């Protein structure tokens, strides 16, 4: 294909593995090129969206069952960008491409197949060629209008100084980093100032050592009254030698008891009077004094005068024999002192600049698509159907944005006549299909746990949401949420929650930290009056420990198969999206609890659509029926339990319309935690003893520290393999809990006599019970305080 030879034309190249995780690199690559070409912000977003769609289709279809690379070549000039995308995957039959019938898509609720149509609308030219050497997709985009083609780069990317989510988070992070830098600089400045003072003190102590040497040498000479004695000449030579050896010493003198200079580095001063300066100040040692003087060249000299004492014991109390005078250059002394404070300040300033750059880059990457979707949702909520939602970010957000763009376009036409209302209903069904596509298509596999789920939407687009997030290869996050609003607004809020949660959950093992950061992201962009309740569970398949947190959601139910007891697990927390008076209140209020399951135990997370399902008499299904069903079917697999629950709700409601979404996730423990830990220990030891790996190699493969290996080895030596297997792991997760059945009895005792104290309540409860079923007074006291809304009364 012929191309224009424009002035200032540049070529760019990028090669990436065919993996969706690399799409962000493609977006940044094409965005930078479009900015260089002078594209407007809208044209940049259109080009990035077309590139995202093209690369996604190549990854999903051309490389469906194989791996490979995608090469992107771009020729760019002012107002024009030509893109060639090359791959070696399965070719596409371009001859079958036709403009789709959107009306039919709406009527049959079809999904997919609109990628080529979308790229055709976004780009000015599109062409595809398949050859034996590979496949090439050509796309052309030009800026519309001379002004747009030559628009300066700073105009298209200048910041919007508004109260956007991106700007606020960037400013907060910058201020936090600035505070950290100031704190570190203050600490370093104080420490380095002390070091400088220590160096200065040491330098003056060195000068004191020089004076002490002269004092020792002068002691014998000063005992002789004749200043022309040969010992005085030797003393003068020694003084000259010392002055020449010590760079900081400008002059030195020896003065006898009569105040006459008897030895000096300046020969002319011999037999001249030597006086103590009037402004002399005492030295902190041996009765000496010092004073500052200015030399002939303007140099500041510190003059030290130290008495020469008789050191023999029998004469120690006599008067001084004379004085040693030492003139020291302050400039040369200070020149020997290293001051690192300026260098430290420059280093920290550089760190601050780099940190701010990274902060703004990361905030832009993570928050920009959510902010764009939020702005679009606000516009739709305000009744504006003229602007399209443009998303540059995760595919699922772009998909829902494109769907609602098409829906809003049809809303404008539907307002002209009553007949068009039917089409609105069809489009809502398309939105429902897109929402369902955002829910997990399958339940992930995780070692030692069996998981099943149930989801039934009450309206066309529901407000319930559940998802599974891979925290790392050994850890899975399970989330169940309920949005207060239904329909389109609830679906969009659900999309924001899903994106924020997935972004924050990866790599984080703190349920409270994940939900706190997610709340910070979405609160300011949610419509007033809307909120989301969330229950988030983290399954650690390696350590067999489950941690969980709740943002105002229904309690999770624990069924203990061994004792046939049920427990409400209801940690404290505010719902997400509520504007609290204190921005830190959400983070401070949310609690994290941990638990260690036993084999065949089951956890059930649900939304209030289950317990509030109504029959024809307007009676609710209720928690009693849910608990009874769990105790009856809790020993089944999660799939069987979910099926039994679904059938029981259907029998109870008798076909009465569903008022709320129904979502349930059931998690069953398949393994005994101690057996799992024994297996890990034995495999680690066998890698060294049987396979011959080094300790470092075995620990790297098992992802443990060498200290863990030596601890297991020591335990095996002490207890043997049987002891190693039977040695249970003590954890803080085995917290004594009060079951729902026990709680009922406690509350009944309190109702009968509210004046009873904790000890008497526990005493009444424990009457006739086995020791392992008894409750302590502290549990009887604490349990009523744990009861919160959504908890069994």
């Amino acid at each position: 294909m012929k191309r224009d030879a424009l002035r200032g034309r540049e070529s760019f190249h990028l090669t990436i593995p065919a993996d969706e995780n690399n799409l962000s690199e493609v977006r940044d690559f094409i965005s930078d090129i479009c900015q260089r070409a002078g594209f407007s912000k809208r044209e940049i977003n259109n080009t990035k969206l077309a590139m995202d769609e093209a690369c996604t289709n190549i990854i999903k279809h051309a490389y469906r069952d194989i791996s490979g690379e995608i090469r992107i070549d771009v020729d760019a000039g002012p107002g024009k960008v030509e893109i060639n995308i090359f791959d070696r995957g399965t070719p596409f039959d371009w001859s079958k491409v036709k403009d789709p019938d959107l009306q039919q898509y709406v009527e049959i609720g079809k999904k997919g197949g609109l990628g080529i149509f979308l790229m055709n609308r976004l780009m000015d030219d599109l062409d595809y060629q398949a050859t034996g050497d590979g496949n090439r997709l050509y796309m052309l985009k030009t800026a519309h209008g001379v002004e747009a083609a030559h628009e300066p780069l700073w105009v298209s990317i200048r910041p919007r100084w508004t109260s956007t989510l991106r700007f606020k988070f960037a400013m907060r992070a910058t201020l936090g980093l600035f505070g950290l830098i100031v704190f570190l600089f203050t600490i370093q400045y104080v420490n380095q100032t002390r070091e400088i003072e220590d160096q200065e003190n040491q330098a003056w102590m060195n000068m004191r050592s020089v004076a002490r040497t002269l004092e020792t040498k002068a002691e014998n000479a000063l005992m002789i009254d004749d200043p022309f004695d040969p010992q005085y000449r030797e003393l003068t030579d020694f003084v000259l030698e010392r002055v020449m050896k010590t760079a900081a010493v400008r002059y030195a003198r020896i003065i006898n008891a009569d105040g006459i200079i008897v030895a000096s580095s300046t020969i002319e001063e011999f037999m001249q009077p030597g006086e103590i300066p009037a402004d002399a100040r005492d030295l902190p040692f041996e009765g000496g004094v010092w004073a500052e003087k200015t030399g002939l060249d303007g140099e500041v000299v510190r003059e030290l005068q130290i008495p020469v004492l008789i050191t023999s014991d029998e004469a120690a109390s006599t008067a001084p024999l004379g004085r040693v005078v030492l003139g020291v250059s302050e400039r040369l002394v200070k020149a020997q002192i290293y001051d690192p404070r300026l260098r430290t300040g420059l280093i920290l300033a550089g760190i601050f600049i780099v940190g701010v750059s990274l902060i703004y880059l990361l905030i832009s990457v993570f928050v920009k698509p959510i902010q764009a979707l939020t702005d679009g949702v606000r516009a739709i909520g305000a009744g504006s159907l003229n602007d399209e939602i443009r998303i540059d970010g995760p595919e699922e957000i772009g998909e829902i944005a494109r769907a609602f763009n098409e829906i809003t376009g049809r809303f404008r036409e539907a307002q002209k006549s009553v007949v068009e209302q039917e089409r609105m209903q069809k489009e809502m069904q398309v939105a429902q299909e897109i929402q369902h596509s955002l829910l997990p298509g399958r339940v992930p596999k995780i070692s030692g746990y069996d998981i099943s789920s149930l989801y039934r939407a009450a309206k066309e687009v529901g407000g319930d949401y559940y998802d599974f997030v891979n925290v790392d290869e050994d850890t899975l996050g399970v989330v169940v949420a309920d949005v207060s609003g239904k329909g389109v607004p609830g679906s969009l809020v659900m999309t924001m929650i899903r994106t924020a949660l997935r972004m924050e959950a990866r790599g984080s093992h703190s349920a409270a930290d994940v939900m706190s950061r997610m709340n910070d992201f979405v609160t300011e962009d949610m419509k007033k009056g809307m909120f989301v309740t969330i229950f988030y569970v983290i399954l650690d398949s390696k350590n067999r420990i489950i941690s969980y947190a709740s943002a105002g959601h229904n309690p999770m139910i624990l069924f203990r198969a061994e004792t046939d007891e049920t427990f409400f697990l209801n940690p404290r927390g505010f719902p997400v999206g509520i504007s609290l008076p204190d921005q830190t209140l959400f983070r401070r209020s949310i609690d994290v609890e941990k638990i260690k399951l036993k084999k065949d135990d089951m956890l059930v997370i649900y939304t209030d659509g289950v317990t509030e399902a109504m029959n024809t008499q307007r009676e609710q299904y209720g928690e009693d029926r849910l608990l009874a069903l769990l105790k009856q079917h809790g020993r089944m697999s999660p799939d069987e339990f979910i099926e039994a629950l679904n059938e029981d709700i259907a029998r109870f409601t008798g076909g009465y319309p569903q008022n709320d979404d129904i979502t349930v996730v059931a998690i069953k423990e398949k393994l005994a935690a101690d057996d799992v830990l024994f297996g890990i220990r034995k495999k680690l030891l066998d890698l060294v003893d049987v396979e011959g790996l080094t300790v470092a190699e075995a620990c790297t493969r098992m992802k443990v520290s060498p200290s863990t290996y030596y601890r297991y080895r020591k335990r095996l030596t002490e207890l043997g393999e049987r002891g190693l297997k039977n040695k249970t792991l003590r954890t803080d997760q085995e917290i004594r809990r009060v079951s729902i059945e026990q709680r009922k009895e406690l509350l009944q005792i309190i109702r009968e006599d509210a004046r009873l104290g904790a000890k008497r309540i526990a005493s009444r409860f424990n009457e006739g019970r086995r020791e392992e079923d008894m409750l302590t007074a502290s549990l009887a006291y604490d349990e009523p305080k744990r009861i919160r809304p959504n908890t069994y009364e």
Side-chain angles (χ1 to χ4, degrees):
M1 179 173 290
K2 187 177 180 181
R3 310 201 182 156
D4 297 332
L6 297 178
R7 185 179 179 183
R9 198 169 186 79
E10 295 182 271
S11 296
F12 304 89
H13 308 280
L14 175 67
T15 301
I16 61 168
D19 190 301
E20 292 186 36
N21 293 327
N22 298 307
L23 290 179
S24 60
E25 185 178 355
V26 175
R27 298 186 196 107
D28 294 339
F29 172 72
I30 202 66
S31 176
D32 181 63
I33 295 173
C34 290
Q35 288 176 357
R36 290 171 179 262
F39 280 20
S40 67
K41 191 171 184 180
R42 182 186 184 91
E43 289 163 342
I44 293 174
N45 288 336
N46 287 347
T47 308
K48 288 195 294 185
L49 189 58
M51 282 292 296
D52 192 271
E53 183 68 29
C55 293
T56 300
N57 277 298
I58 291 173
I59 293 169
K60 288 187 175 180
H61 301 293
Y63 290 117
R64 174 180 296 178
D65 301 319
I66 59 177
S67 59
E69 292 183 337
I70 299 175
R71 191 180 93 238
I72 303 171
D73 295 343
V74 182
D75 287 335
K80 187 174 182 179
V81 171
E82 290 181 288
I83 305 170
N84 285 283
I85 306 176
F86 299 92
D87 70 86
R88 295 182 176 273
T90 304
F92 176 70
D93 190 353
W94 188 260
S95 63
K96 295 182 179 179
V97 175
K98 298 179 180 179
D99 288 339
D101 184 352
L102 296 180
Q103 174 66 29
Q104 183 184 15
Y105 266 65
V106 172
E107 290 178 354
I108 67 177
K110 183 179 179 181
K111 297 186 299 180
L114 295 177
I116 303 299
F117 171 70
L118 178 64
M119 287 188 284
N120 265 320
R121 289 184 60 189
L122 296 174
M123 305 300 285
D124 297 315
D125 192 12
L126 199 69
D127 186 40
Y128 180 85
Q129 293 180 358
T131 66
D133 295 330
N135 312 308
R136 181 188 72 112
L137 175 63
Y138 170 77
M139 295 191 294
L140 171 66
K141 184 68 175 177
T142 57
H144 296 288
V146 178
E147 294 82 2
H150 298 283
E151 183 182 49
L153 178 60
W154 68 269
V155 174
S156 62
I157 63 171
R158 62 177 180 265
R160 296 168 54 199
W161 297 108
T162 62
S163 57
T164 61
L165 182 67
R166 181 168 61 253
F167 176 75
K168 290 182 179 180
F169 269 92
M171 286 302 298
R172 291 172 185 170
T174 301
L175 292 175
L177 179 60
F178 179 76
L180 177 61
I181 293 296
V182 170
F183 175 74
L184 293 176
F185 178 77
T186 302
I187 293 177
Q188 287 294 97
Y189 186 89
V190 172
N191 291 337
Q192 291 173 353
T193 299
R194 291 174 179 170
E195 292 174 3
I196 292 170
E197 292 174 353
D198 292 340
Q199 292 181 55
E200 187 173 354
N201 291 335
Q202 183 60 44
W204 287 113
M205 289 303 296
N206 292 339
M207 296 300 102
R208 172 66 184 91
S209 298
V210 173
R212 179 60 182 167
T213 303
L214 295 175
E215 177 189 356
T216 303
K217 187 68 175 178
E219 180 180 348
N220 293 331
L222 290 176
M223 290 184 181
I224 302 171
D225 293 334
D226 184 8
F228 296 95
D229 190 273
Q231 289 196 34
Y232 280 98
R233 177 170 290 280
E234 293 178 6
L235 179 61
T236 299
D237 294 337
F238 184 81
V239 169
L240 287 170
E241 179 186 356
R242 276 293 149 193
V243 170
M244 294 179 65
K245 283 186 176 180
T246 310
V249 177
R250 289 302 189 210
Y251 58 84
R253 306 184 187 112
I254 306 297
I255 301 174
N256 62 18
D258 297 328
I260 302 300
I261 299 174
V262 294
S264 174
S265 59
T266 304
I267 303 300
E268 293 78 8
E269 293 181 348
F270 181 68
M271 297 304 292
Q272 297 296 319
E275 299 178 354
I276 297 177
D279 58 346
R281 285 167 280 184
D282 292 336
L283 286 170
F285 45 79
E286 302 181 0
V289 296
W290 68 278
E292 284 189 356
K293 292 187 175 182
T294 303
L296 296 177
D297 56 353
E299 183 179 32
V300 177
V301 176
R302 182 178 292 190
E303 185 175 285
L304 309 181
Q305 295 202 13
I306 301 169
V308 178
L309 302 175
I310 299 175
T311 57
S312 59
D313 292 338
E314 60 273 15
S317 60
T318 62
L321 297 174
R323 286 171 286 146
V324 174
V325 178
L326 206 64
V328 182
S329 170
E330 288 195 0
R331 177 179 61 81
L332 294 178
V333 169
K334 292 181 178 180
Q336 302 172 12
I337 300 171
Y338 172 64
D339 187 352
R341 290 176 293 187
L342 177 59
R343 180 183 177 188
T344 300
L346 292 175
I347 291 174
L348 291 177
I351 293 173
F352 175 75
I353 293 172
V354 173
V356 170
S357 302
L358 292 176
I359 286 171
Y360 275 81
L361 176 63
L362 294 176
I363 290 294
S364 179
V365 170
F366 290 145
V367 180
K368 185 176 180 181
I370 298 177
Q371 183 70 54
L373 181 59
T374 301
D375 293 340
V377 174
R378 285 175 173 170
I380 294 174
S384 174
L385 304 177
N386 296 322
D387 296 328
E388 291 186 348
I389 303 175
R390 293 295 181 184
I391 297 298
D392 173 29
E395 183 182 354
E396 54 266 38
I397 298 183
E399 184 179 355
I400 197 71
R402 291 193 296 272
F404 278 100
N405 285 337
E406 294 185 9
I407 291 173
T408 53
R410 287 170 175 76
F411 277 166
R412 292 192 295 268
E413 300 297 328
Q415 291 172 348
K416 297 178 181 179
S417 65
V418 177
V419 178
E420 294 294 326
Q421 299 300 320
E422 296 180 0
R423 296 186 63 192
M424 292 174 59
Q425 181 64 29
K426 293 292 185 179
E427 288 162 4
M428 291 296 293
Q429 292 175 5
V430 175
Q432 180 187 25
E433 291 294 326
I434 294 175
Q435 178 203 326
H436 287 178
S437 70
L438 297 179
L439 296 174
R442 61 181 180 84
V443 176
K445 301 294 183 182
I446 180 169
S447 175
Y449 296 106
D450 195 1
I451 305 175
S452 184
S453 62
L454 167 66
Y455 174 78
R456 279 172 28 191
K459 294 186 178 183
E460 290 82 2
V461 183
D464 275 10
Y465 157 66
Y466 76 97
D467 201 1
F468 306 99
V469 182
N470 291 320
V471 178
D472 56 39
E473 62 180 61
D474 298 315
T475 311
L476 179 71
V478 181
V479 59
V480 173
D482 187 0
V483 182
S484 61
K486 306 300 178 185
V488 176
S491 174
L492 291 175
V493 170
M494 182 185 75
T495 304
M496 287 194 297
I497 292 292
R498 180 181 189 267
T499 302
L501 181 69
R502 285 196 165 198
M503 181 171 61
E504 298 294 347
R506 287 187 176 90
S508 177
H509 291 76
S510 171
D513 193 39
V514 169
M515 293 219 284
S516 296
R517 293 203 302 268
M518 178 186 62
N519 179 72
D520 293 340
F521 267 109
V522 304
T523 296
E524 294 184 7
D525 297 293
M526 288 181 60
K527 184 179 178 181
K528 186 175 181 180
M530 294 187 69
F531 60 88
V532 186
T533 64
I534 302 176
F535 205 101
Y536 182 50
V537 178
I538 299 178
L539 306 177
D540 186 343
S541 64
K542 187 175 183 180
N543 297 306
R544 314 307 299 171
I545 293 173
I546 297 176
S547 60
Y548 53 90
S550 173
H553 198 75
N554 301 70
M556 179 169 63
I557 302 176
L558 165 64
F559 172 70
R560 288 285 192 194
E562 184 180 25
T563 59
D564 200 36
E565 291 180 307
T566 53
F567 300 81
F568 275 134
L569 307 180
N570 192 23
R572 182 183 61 163
F574 284 108
V576 170
I578 295 179
S579 296
L580 299 171
D582 183 355
Q583 294 183 352
T584 65
L585 185 57
F586 183 95
R587 185 179 295 271
R588 289 188 287 107
S589 65
I590 193 166
D591 287 341
V592 173
E593 295 183 0
K594 296 185 179 182
I595 193 169
K596 182 179 176 184
L597 297 183
K598 300 178 181 178
K599 188 176 181 182
D600 294 329
D601 286 354
M602 182 181 288
L603 294 173
V604 177
I605 318 168
Y606 62 96
T607 60
D608 53 15
V610 176
T611 55
E612 295 177 4
M614 292 186 181
N615 60 15
T616 54
Q617 287 77 40
R618 306 285 293 176
E619 297 174 335
Q620 293 187 348
Y621 186 77
E623 290 175 335
D624 282 338
R625 287 186 177 86
L626 178 59
L627 294 172
L629 185 82
L630 179 57
K631 295 185 73 170
Q632 181 181 357
H633 300 286
R635 290 177 175 82
M636 295 180 173
S637 69
D639 287 338
E640 293 171 332
F641 168 75
I642 289 292
E643 183 178 355
L645 176 60
N646 194 23
E647 293 175 354
D648 194 55
I649 293 175
R651 282 194 301 269
F652 174 78
T653 57
Y656 190 78
Q658 186 176 325
N659 294 322
D660 200 358
D661 306 333
I662 291 177
T663 304
V664 183
V665 176
I667 305 168
K668 195 174 191 68
E669 174 66 80
K670 297 191 298 185
L671 303 174
D674 292 334
D675 291 341
V676 175
L677 293 174
F678 169 72
I680 294 174
R681 296 168 183 161
K682 191 173 188 306
K683 184 175 181 180
L684 176 61
L685 296 176
D686 287 347
L687 287 175
V688 177
D689 297 339
V690 179
E691 298 187 22
L693 271 66
T694 66
V695 173
E697 292 172 338
C699 291
T700 301
R701 182 177 297 185
M702 295 298 294
K703 298 181 179 180
V704 298
S705 64
S707 62
T708 302
Y709 169 82
Y710 292 114
R711 187 170 68 252
Y712 290 168
R713 170 63 64 187
K714 181 179 179 181
R715 183 175 296 175
L716 179 63
T717 303
E718 295 174 350
L719 304 175
E721 183 170 321
R722 182 180 181 88
L724 180 66
K725 182 173 183 178
N726 294 331
K727 189 74 173 179
T728 58
L729 178 67
R730 295 184 57 119
T731 69
D732 296 330
Q733 284 69 40
E734 287 298 324
I735 302 172
R736 182 72 170 94
R737 302 176 185 273
V738 175
S739 68
I740 298 172
E741 294 79 10
Q742 292 172 331
R743 181 185 293 174
K744 288 182 182 179
E745 295 186 39
L746 283 176
L747 293 178
Q748 183 60 36
I749 294 173
I750 295 172
R751 289 190 187 101
E752 292 174 357
D753 190 350
R755 297 172 298 177
L756 293 177
K759 290 184 178 180
R760 297 191 63 184
I761 293 174
S763 177
R764 286 196 184 183
F765 178 88
N766 295 332
E767 290 178 0
R769 295 182 185 272
R770 297 178 303 172
E771 183 176 353
E772 58 267 25
D773 296 331
M774 293 183 179
L775 297 181
T776 63
S778 61
L779 278 174
Y781 174 76
D782 291 337
E783 188 59 27
K785 297 193 299 181
R786 290 172 55 88
I787 299 175
R788 293 190 292 276
N790 292 330
T791 311
Y792 191 90
E793 293 287 348

